[in-house]
Amino acid sequence: MNPLIFTTILMTVLLGTMIVMMSSHWLMIWIGFEMNLLAIIPILMKKYNPRTMEASTKYFLTQATASMLLMMAIIINLMHSGQWTITKVFNPTASIIMTSALAMKLGLTPFHFWVPEVTQGISLTSGLILLTWQKLAPMSILYQISPSINLNILLTMAVLSILVGGWGGLNQTQLRKIMAYSSIAHMGWMTAVLVYSPTLTMLNMLIYIMMTLTMFMLFIQSSSTTTLSLSHTWNKTPLTTTLILITLLSMGGLPPLSGFMPKWMIIQELTKNSSIILPTLMAIMALLNLYFYMRLTYSTSLTMFPSTNNMKMKWQFETKQITLLPPLIVMSSLLLPLTPMLSILD
Amino acid sequence: MMTYIVFILSVIFVVSFVGFSSKPSPIYGGLVLIVSGGVGCGIIMNFGGSFLGLMVFLIYLGGMLVVFGYTTAMATEQYPEVWVSNTTVMGVFLLGLLMEVMLVLYVLKSEEVGVVFEFSGVGDWAIYDTGDSGVFSEEIMGVAALYSYGAWVVIVTGWSLLVGVLVILEVTRGD
């Protein structure tokens, strides 16, 4: 793609999300979503093969449907309150339709079916943008309407998302689909605590973005999209095998690493609100996630996966230099002692 | 009949939407879009919005639909699909018509429709009398306000249209 056009389109994706996050008029928020959707389509379609075109079409159709539902909820809200500000949603019908529309944009169950298929069809860098940047805009709107969200619907969608994200990722060997199911599960954790404490949703979003950025950059550096090719990293860059181990364990939510912080805070906040069965269920279902991360670490870092002999003596080409990678790895594994600083987020 | 003109026009509006949603060839979709655009203009005019109705005819039908018609005429096939040529298309069309007939009977029986939310008629656009230079209508003042208070909206929509053209050119370029 022409570099000038690519820069313009990338800046428009950023501008769309910024408009969504900064507007106080519902119509501007809708315009921001549409601008975001329109501009990310050529980024998803950077290579012109049938897979990317199919993935872009699926993404466009689901997100356009979600935008239409959002517009309908906005108009119902306008009909019942006569104004366009987003501080409060005045009608329960509008609130439910809006929650469903934003759940479709995020990829929560039962609207999660597009996430693995779209993530699989596009390149690793486009998948990175899809799973991290595109979650910011809908989550910011959910944060702003959180007092008016129907708790039953949101909690049902959250718990089902954690279940589907864990269960669905079990049979996958393609790394992009694994990251997609991990994204579904993390979105479930984020929306579960949204009504109780939106600050923790934002904390979870921050740490999830850091960890997903790290994982995708590690994949980009070794250009691996399947478990099999990831298992050859011990020969290419042996240090990244250890880093993959640490980051995957952090994504699974294991204690001394920073991925534990959001899960701990969410479970604490839920039990403070006298719901005990729900966080227990959520923690048990997070074990499914941990299982397929552990399977990745088993084949990558902990064992030498069976391969042919010429795979064990690879020629050392120039390694890709990703400048952002070391700080990201440190942030996604060592942030846990900073938990008392959470008080500044309130 | 004149008291029910909005109702009749809305029914024709929905029927023409059913007509192109049942997906005949795009040429015939454009045909019912003309009908639905004209009828929609009539609905808006009955609420006092003469300027916006004129905009529908001029910009929507006279600009966008004309370009759509020309491009579709260039890309059409030898025997385009009509509503009656394909069983699926005719089935969907008849299903949509049936649902519309049932909804009309429901509306005529009870005075209002309360399916998801209550809809029992809307108010007109407010007409102001400021006293200095006569009567101002709210809808055309809204268009004027778009260019004064709503300058940011103009910038954003203008940028979206530019990026829309860039995106379409980029997507259809192929390689």
Side-chain angles (χ1 to χ4, degrees):
Chain A
M1 217 193 283
N2 185 3
L4 181 63
I5 304 288
F6 182 64
T7 314
T8 313
I9 290 180
L10 202 60
M11 289 301 123
T12 311
V13 173
L14 265 61
L15 180 65
T17 310
M18 286 293 123
I19 289 178
V20 168
M21 286 163 66
M22 290 191 312
S23 295
S24 53
H25 194 277
W26 271 120
L27 195 63
M28 290 307 293
I29 290 175
W30 187 82
I31 292 178
F33 272 124
E34 292 297 295
M35 195 194 277
N36 194 10
L37 172 61
L38 194 63
I40 205 174
I41 293 297
I43 295 181
L44 296 185
M45 277 181 60
K46 260 200 293 199
K47 299 190 180 53
Y48 292 94
N49 50 34
R51 267 180 305 286
T52 51
M53 291 187 193
E54 183 188 332
S56 315
T57 314
K58 278 184 197 162
Y59 185 67
F60 184 76
L61 285 176
T62 51
Q63 301 283 305
T65 314
S67 288
M68 281 197 286
L69 278 175
L70 184 66
M71 182 48 110
M72 179 163 181
I74 292 171
I75 293 182
I76 298 176
N77 186 28
L78 175 69
M79 211 165 74
H80 283 266
S81 65
Q83 45 91 33
W84 293 89
T85 58
I86 61 168
T87 45
K88 185 170 142 73
V89 180
F90 285 92
N91 190 17
T93 310
S95 167
I96 292 176
I97 297 179
M98 213 173 268
T99 313
S100 316
L102 293 169
M104 274 179 85
K105 283 194 175 286
L106 279 176
L108 288 174
T109 314
F111 310 115
H112 67 279
F113 293 101
W114 61 269
V115 188
E117 297 175 30
V118 172
T119 319
Q120 179 63 27
I122 56 187
S123 64
L124 275 171
T125 323
S126 307
L128 173 65
I129 299 179
L130 186 80
L131 287 183
T132 53
W133 183 260
Q134 295 295 94
K135 312 286 181 194
L136 281 179
M139 197 51 92
S140 77
I141 299 302
L142 273 177
Y143 181 96
Q144 284 169 329
I145 65 170
S146 61
S148 345
I149 298 183
N150 186 356
L151 186 64
N152 299 319
I153 288 187
L154 198 66
L155 275 184
T156 313
M157 287 200 286
V159 169
L160 283 178
S161 300
I162 303 176
L163 187 58
V164 162
W167 217 343
L170 284 182
N171 200 19
Q172 308 296 338
T173 53
Q174 295 282 335
L175 293 177
R176 287 169 288 184
K177 276 201 176 136
I178 286 181
M179 294 312 293
Y181 281 108
S182 128
S183 150
I184 298 174
H186 279 272
M187 289 299 134
W189 276 91
M190 282 183 231
T191 47
V193 80
L194 184 68
V195 185
Y196 297 107
S197 167
T199 315
L200 292 178
T201 306
M202 287 300 131
L203 172 75
N204 199 350
M205 172 69 89
L206 192 67
I207 302 213
Y208 160 72
I209 287 181
M210 280 195 287
M211 293 190 297
T212 312
L213 266 177
T214 315
M215 279 319 296
F216 264 103
M217 284 188 178
L218 286 167
F219 294 157
I220 288 171
Q221 193 192 31
S222 49
S223 297
S224 50
T225 52
T226 59
T227 312
L228 185 60
S229 64
L230 192 67
S231 65
H232 295 141
T233 44
W234 66 270
N235 202 354
K236 288 186 246 187
T237 45
L239 184 58
T240 54
T241 50
T242 320
L243 300 173
I244 289 175
L245 169 71
I246 295 179
T247 316
L248 276 172
L249 290 180
S250 180
M251 282 194 89
L254 289 189
L257 306 170
S258 56
F260 178 58
M261 184 185 349
K263 290 198 165 59
W264 172 24
M265 292 288 112
I266 289 177
I267 293 179
Q268 186 173 9
E269 192 63 36
L270 283 172
T271 47
K272 271 191 223 165
N273 281 290
S274 318
S275 86
I276 305 179
I277 305 181
L278 181 71
T280 315
L281 269 179
M282 281 162 59
I284 291 178
M285 291 189 290
L287 285 176
L288 291 170
N289 260 326
L290 186 62
Y291 176 70
F292 59 79
Y293 296 143
M294 287 296 303
R295 195 166 51 191
L296 270 183
T297 62
Y298 180 77
S299 65
T300 311
S301 334
L302 300 176
T303 58
M304 273 169 58
F305 206 63
S307 54
T308 52
N309 276 336
N310 54 359
M311 285 293 181
K312 298 184 183 135
M313 297 177 285
K314 281 199 180 162
W315 185 257
Q316 298 288 329
F317 290 106
E318 221 174 78
T319 41
K320 270 183 230 183
Q321 201 180 23
I322 305 180
T323 322
L324 201 54
L325 196 52
L328 271 180
I329 292 174
V330 170
M331 280 209 293
S332 64
S333 45
L334 295 176
L335 274 185
L336 193 63
L338 290 179
T339 312
M341 279 182 67
L342 264 185
S343 48
I344 64 170
L345 285 174
D346 271 321
Chain B
M1 189 201 82
M2 212 49 200
T3 49
Y4 294 111
I5 189 71
V6 176
F7 183 63
I8 295 173
L9 286 178
S10 337
V11 171
I12 302 176
F13 194 65
V14 175
V15 165
S16 47
F17 264 57
V18 168
F20 71 73
S21 315
S22 52
K23 281 188 270 287
S25 159
I27 286 282
Y28 296 106
L31 183 68
V32 292
L33 265 182
I34 297 177
V35 172
S36 75
V39 163
C41 165
I43 297 176
I44 300 180
M45 288 225 225
N46 273 302
F47 285 116
S50 46
F51 181 67
L52 284 179
L54 202 64
M55 281 299 113
V56 167
F57 259 109
L58 210 63
I59 309 296
Y60 185 70
L61 294 185
M64 299 198 272
L65 206 63
V66 162
V67 174
F68 173 72
Y70 273 119
T71 52
T72 320
M74 281 199 293
T76 190
E77 58 229 5
Q78 198 182 12
Y79 294 106
E81 244 177 45
V82 204
W83 290 277
V84 296
S85 68
N86 191 1
T87 327
T88 318
V89 174
M90 188 163 72
V92 174
F93 184 58
L94 288 178
L95 183 69
L97 271 184
L98 180 71
M99 296 197 62
E100 176 61 16
V101 164
M102 290 200 324
L103 192 66
V104 166
L105 289 176
Y106 180 33
V107 169
L108 288 179
K109 212 158 88 73
S110 59
E111 280 305 304
E112 59 199 17
V113 179
V115 177
V116 173
F117 48 88
E118 235 178 65
F119 183 78
S120 58
V122 293
D124 293 346
W125 266 290
I127 300 184
Y128 296 120
D129 184 8
T130 60
D132 342 322
S133 41
V135 174
F136 284 117
S137 165
E138 190 183 60
E139 39 105 32
I140 192 164
M141 284 302 117
V143 176
L146 177 69
Y147 291 98
S148 66
Y149 305 113
W152 175 239
V153 182
V154 173
I155 295 173
V156 166
T157 42
W159 182 253
S160 306
L161 289 174
L162 174 67
V163 170
V165 170
L166 287 178
V167 162
I168 288 173
L169 287 177
E170 188 57 48
V171 164
T172 53
R173 187 167 63 115
D175 207 334

